Structures are given as C-alpha cells and as structure tokens.
C-alpha cells in the first residue's frame, strides 16, 4: 500500500480514549494505519480521560481493544512487530479536560512535541457524545491547543437546528473552517465512494442515472444489533438523529448530487451540500417511527421512553434530475437482518414484453465490508417456455485488481492526517439537513411498536410501493 501523504510529525489526541467509540472504531482504525505503513514516520497517540492511568495501563487497555475489535481475525489482530513500535508511541493524559481545568493534557502534549522535534501537526479527535462538543472546543481554545490543529467531531454535529447553529458558532469562535473535520463514517465506506466513481466513470451508468430511467431509490440500513452498552447515548438520540439525518441523508446526497467540476475536495463537497439544499422538508405523514418491544426493559432506559429505534421515511429531491422520484430510507435496531444497501430501481420499459416484475431491473451497492455492486435484470428463464425470471450478477470490490481496502474510520482518519476534507461535511450542508428534518422533529409521529427480529412496523411497508422493500429478513 502506498505511503500516506502526511509527512509532518503528528500528535493525535484522542478524547474519550477509554470509551466505547474509541474502543470499537478509532483505536482499531489508527492501528490499521500503522499496520499498513500509512502513518507519518514520527507520530504519537495521546489518550485523554477523566481518570488517572499510567502510560502502561493505557497501553494494556489499547491492546485489549485491538484484540477484540482490531483488523483481522482472532490472534491475527495483533502483529507483534507492529504492536511493539505502536505501544511505544502511546501515552495517556488524565484528570479530564475542561475550560477550568486542563488536567495533564497540555504538559503531555508539550513533552511529546519536544520528543518529536518541536514542529508537529496536532490532531484532536473528540470521541465523545455531542453534548460535550461545546465544552471541549472552548477548552481547546482556552488552553492553547487549537491554533493550527485539526479537530475531528463525531456525528451528529448538533441535535436540532437551534443546537446546530449554537455549536457551529462556538466552533468557529475557536477554529477556522479548514481546521474542522465533521466525520460521517458512511462517507468513508469504499462503496459509498464508488457511487460517484461508477457513475461518472461509466457512460452506460451516467446516462440512466436520472428520473427518466429510475423509478425509486432505496437506502436501507437495517441492523440486528440492540443498543448494546450505548443506552444513555441512544435514548438521548434515537434512530432519526443517530442515522437518518446523518448517514442516510449523506448517502442520499451522494446518489442525488449533480456532477462536480472535479473530484477535488471543495468541488465534491459543494456538489454534495448543494443537493442537500434541494431536499424537500420531510412530511411527517411520510415517516414511520418505531420502537422494538423490550427497549424500555434495557437498563438505563425509562419505562415511558418514546425514543425511536426505527425510522422509515420517504424523501423527495427537488432537482430536474430527480423530481418526483421517491428516495425511501430505512434503518432500525433489532431487525430481522443486517445490511447497508443502496438500490436504484429502474422503470419498466414500454414495449412488447409484458407483465414485467416491479423489481426486475435494479442496480445495488452493498456498503458493508469492502463493498459489492449487484445487478438484477429480467431475463427469459432457460428452457422451452417464455417464462421470465430475474438474473443476478455481483462484483465484490475486494476482488478488483490491486484492491487494498481500508475500513471507513481508517480511511477518514488518513484523510484527516493528509488534510483532505472531501469526505467530511460542511456547515452549509448541515444547515440544510436541519431544515429538511425540522417538520419531523417539530411534529413527530407516534412511535409504533415492532417485534425484535421483524423488519419494523407494518405501517412502513407502504412507503416503498410499488415494488416494496427489497431487503427483508431473509436477505
């Protein structure tokens, strides 16, 4: 794999270093970059938290996270030669971090900076709930750790339109926009990026990527997982904020955007954010919210919680390319299957062949893992009759020549180190997101119960007519 473009000595500060997100996603991603030789020659990782840990205690925690969630399988997740070098570069700065008390972080950053030669790129990754973003941003400015730094914010960046505007203003009081990296890991997925590559690099696809040929777009991300140990975060967020206005809207923008002037960061961002401005505000009558039975039995969840663990919505994109084509979006917890799929359902042509199936021509992108492109088309069933069937073809992207895929978090952290903001969101697009979501947030439909292992409330079935949801519990 090619070397990273980042050559400046780098200090990576991970806030919330002992939390669930860091354990599952950030630490394994950073280790994967080390394993692939994609980190700068000189780097250090400083974990920050409220408790007190020695460097060795934190290294033990990091190793445990990698053994459980690192790249590879089982014992193969730890390459001892990589780990030996990795561990030496890992430090811990405890006693928290706030405007009033910076804890140990400034002194540890200073020590590590001196060790690396004095001229370093600071990267701060805030792997904490959104409710902390204001305080941590202010503390970075207060304690002299913001100048020239790059700061990564997890999603959701804001929890309402008012909260987003307050957070955006507070961030820009401390940081220039070019320093800000609002992460949405769905944009780091190999096949999300392939949405625009396959389209713009292949004339046979670009020519049919419009309302004349496409009847419906489905963006479907059901999950069999429960809320695990994220109960407090999830109950304050729910499926709408955790998935719909973040991941699903961003993927919809990837599908719907107009051709950018180039694939450079500014042009890609502009194309994506511009089409979000053309999303029609959601009609609550075209949204179904659900909550799986047993949710309120989870420790930490109130008995009367109305938090949504499921959302399905019909979105309209008011551009000449997509006008009157429904984008149907769905996600939820404790459903009958797990997948991450974008599907373009093509119109049935007028002509001599009659009684065509509704889902007989579909181009799908599987966003999970290394990604896969699937094509379904109506064919004559082999044999003496004239019966029609649906034939399917698949391209596993990991089989493409010289494929060296990275996990989404690894890809996005690498882009932060390289200073490439093309796969990160901008405030103009996020402002439009909250405009689109406002009618739903202001007039939420009643939450419908659904059974764990089902595909959600029955009321959502009509949203995907005429062909119905392509993904079911047998998928």
């Amino acid at each position: 794999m090619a070397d990273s473009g980042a050559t400046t000595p780098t200090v990576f500060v991970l806030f919330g270093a002992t939390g669930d997100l860091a354990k599952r996603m950030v630490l394994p991603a950073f280790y994967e970059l080390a394993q692939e030789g994609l980190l700068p020659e000189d780097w250090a990782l400083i974990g920050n938290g409220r408790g007190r840990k020695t460097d060795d205690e934190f290294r033990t925690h990091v190793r445990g996270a990698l053994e459980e969630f690192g790249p590879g399988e089982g014992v193969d997740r730890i390459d001892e030669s990589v780990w030996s070098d990795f561990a030496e570069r890992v430090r811990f700065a405890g006693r928290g971090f706030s405007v009033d008390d910076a804890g140990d972080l400034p002194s540890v950053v200073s020590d590590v900076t001196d060790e690396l030669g004095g001229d370093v790129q600071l990267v701060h990754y805030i792997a904490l709930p959104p409710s902390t973003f204001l305080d941590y941003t202010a503390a970075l400015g207060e304690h002299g750790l913001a100048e020239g730094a790059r700061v990564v914010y997890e999603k959701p960046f804001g929890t309402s339109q008012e909260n987003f505007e307050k957070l955006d203003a507070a961030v820009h009081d401390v940081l220039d926009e070019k320093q800000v990296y609002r992460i949405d890991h769905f944009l780091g997925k190999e096949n999300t990026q392939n949405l625009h590559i396959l389209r713009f690099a292949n004339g046979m696809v670009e020519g049919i990527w419009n309302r004349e040929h496409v009847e419906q777009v489905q963006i479907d991300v059901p999950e069999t997982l429960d809320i695990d140990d994220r109960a407090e975060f999830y109950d304050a967020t729910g499926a709408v904020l955790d998935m719909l206005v973040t991941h699903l809207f961003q993927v919809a923008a990837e599908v719907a955007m107009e051709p950018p002037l180039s694939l450079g960061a500014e042009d890609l961002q502009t194309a994506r954010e511009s089409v979000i401005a053309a999303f029609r505000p959601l009609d609550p009558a075209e949204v179904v919210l659900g909550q799986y039975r047993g949710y309120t039995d989870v420790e930490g969840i109130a008995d009367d919680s109305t938090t949504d663990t499921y959302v399905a919505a019909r979105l309209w994109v008011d551009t000449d390319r997509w006008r009157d084509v429904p984008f149907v979006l769905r996600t939820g917890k404790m459903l009958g299957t797990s997948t991450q799929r974008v599907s373009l359902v093509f119109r049935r042509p007028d002509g001599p062949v009659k009684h065509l199936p509704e889902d007989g021509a579909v181009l799908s992108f599987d966003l999970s893992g290394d990604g896969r492109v699937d094509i379904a088309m109506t064919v004559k069933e082999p044999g003496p009759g004239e019966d029609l069937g649906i034939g399917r073809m698949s391209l596993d992207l990991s089989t493409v020549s010289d494929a060296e895929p990275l996990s989404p978090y690894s890809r996005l952290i690498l882009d932060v180190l390289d200073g490439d903001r093309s796969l990160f969101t901008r405030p103009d697009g996020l402002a439009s997101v909250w405009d689109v979501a406002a009618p739903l947030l202001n007039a939420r439909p009643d939450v419908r119960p659904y059974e764990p292992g089902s595909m959600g409330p029955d009321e959502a079935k009509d949203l995907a007519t005429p062909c119905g949801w392509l993904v079911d519990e047998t998928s």
Side-chain angles (χ1 to χ4, degrees), residues 193-204:
Q193 298 165 53
N194 228 15
L195 285 169
H196 57 255
I197 297 298
L198 185 141
R199 170 186 169 188
F200 299 134
N202 296 277
M204 64 181 180

Side-chain angles (χ1 to χ4, degrees), residues 335-389:
L335 297 178
T337 191
S338 286
T339 192
Q340 300 170 359
R341 182 168 288 271
V342 177
S343 300
L344 279 69
V345 182
F346 292 95
R347 299 186 186 279
R348 293 174 293 175
D350 295 327
V353 182
K354 307 300 182 183
H355 309 298
L356 294 169
E358 296 283 359
D359 58 348
V362 181
L363 174 61
S364 291
F365 298 80
D366 186 338
L367 306 185
S368 60
D370 297 333
R372 191 178 72 243
V373 180
D374 298 315
I375 298 175
M377 62 180 66
T378 302
V379 297
K380 175 189 166 303
E381 291 182 353
E386 297 295 328
D387 292 337
L388 301 180

Side-chain angles (χ1 to χ4, degrees), residues 96-107:
F97 185 68
S98 67
V99 170
D100 295 330
D101 186 354
D104 297 331
L105 184 59
S107 63

Side-chain angles (χ1 to χ4, degrees), residues 8 44 50 58 60 92 130 163 170 233 290 292 297 330 404 425:
T8 303
R50 289 193 295 267
F58 181 55
T60 299
F92 191 76
N163 179 260
F233 165 81
Y292 67 80
D297 296 331
R330 179 175 68 169
E404 295 180 290
T425 56

Side-chain angles (χ1 to χ4, degrees), residues 27 69 172 205 229 246 252 273 325 341 343 369 377 399 410 459:
L27 289 170
F69 298 107
H172 287 113
V205 177
D229 52 0
T246 54
E273 313 301 3
V325 175
R341 182 168 288 271
S343 300
M377 62 180 66
T399 66
S410 296
E459 290 86 349

Side-chain angles (χ1 to χ4, degrees), residues 94-260:
R95 297 196 304 117
F97 185 68
S98 67
V99 170
D100 295 330
D101 186 354
D104 297 331
L105 184 59
S107 63
V108 176
V109 168
S110 178
D111 290 346
V112 170
T113 298
D114 290 342
E115 292 169 10
L116 294 182
D119 184 16
V120 304
Q121 174 64 61
L122 262 180
V123 176
H124 301 296
Y125 195 116
I126 306 179
L128 290 164
S131 59
T132 68
F133 291 174
L134 283 169
D135 293 339
Y136 275 77
T137 301
L140 288 174
E142 179 68 22
H143 300 296
L145 294 177
E147 186 175 355
R150 297 168 185 165
V151 184
V152 182
Y153 293 90
E154 268 289 338
K155 59 84 184 172
F157 191 82
T159 54
S160 67
Q161 190 167 28
E162 180 182 3
N163 179 260
F164 159 73
E165 291 171 356
K166 181 179 179 181
L167 175 57
D168 190 54
V171 166
H172 287 113
D173 280 344
V174 176
L175 304 166
D176 292 331
E177 175 61 24
K178 66 182 179 181
Q179 297 176 263
V180 181
Y181 293 76
R182 303 171 192 83
I183 201 168
D184 189 313
H185 76 266
F186 266 55
L187 294 180
K189 290 178 175 290
E190 290 287 350
N191 224 11
T192 305
Q193 298 165 53
N194 228 15
L195 285 169
H196 57 255
I197 297 298
L198 185 141
R199 170 186 169 188
F200 299 134
N202 296 277
M204 64 181 180
V205 177
E206 169 64 5
I208 58 174
W209 202 275
N210 54 57
R211 66 189 299 271
E212 182 180 351
H213 299 283
V214 177
E215 181 176 33
Q216 183 184 88
V217 177
Q218 293 193 13
I219 301 175
D220 207 359
V221 188
E223 298 180 90
T224 57
L225 298 173
D226 60 16
I227 58 172
D228 197 38
D229 52 0
R230 304 169 69 218
E232 181 179 354
F233 165 81
Y234 199 89
D235 199 51
T237 307
V240 170
L241 296 180
D242 187 42
M243 293 291 293
L244 180 68
V245 302
T246 54
H247 301 322
L248 272 59
F249 276 12
Q250 292 298 325
V251 173
E254 284 285 321
V255 175
M257 69 182 181
E258 291 301 303

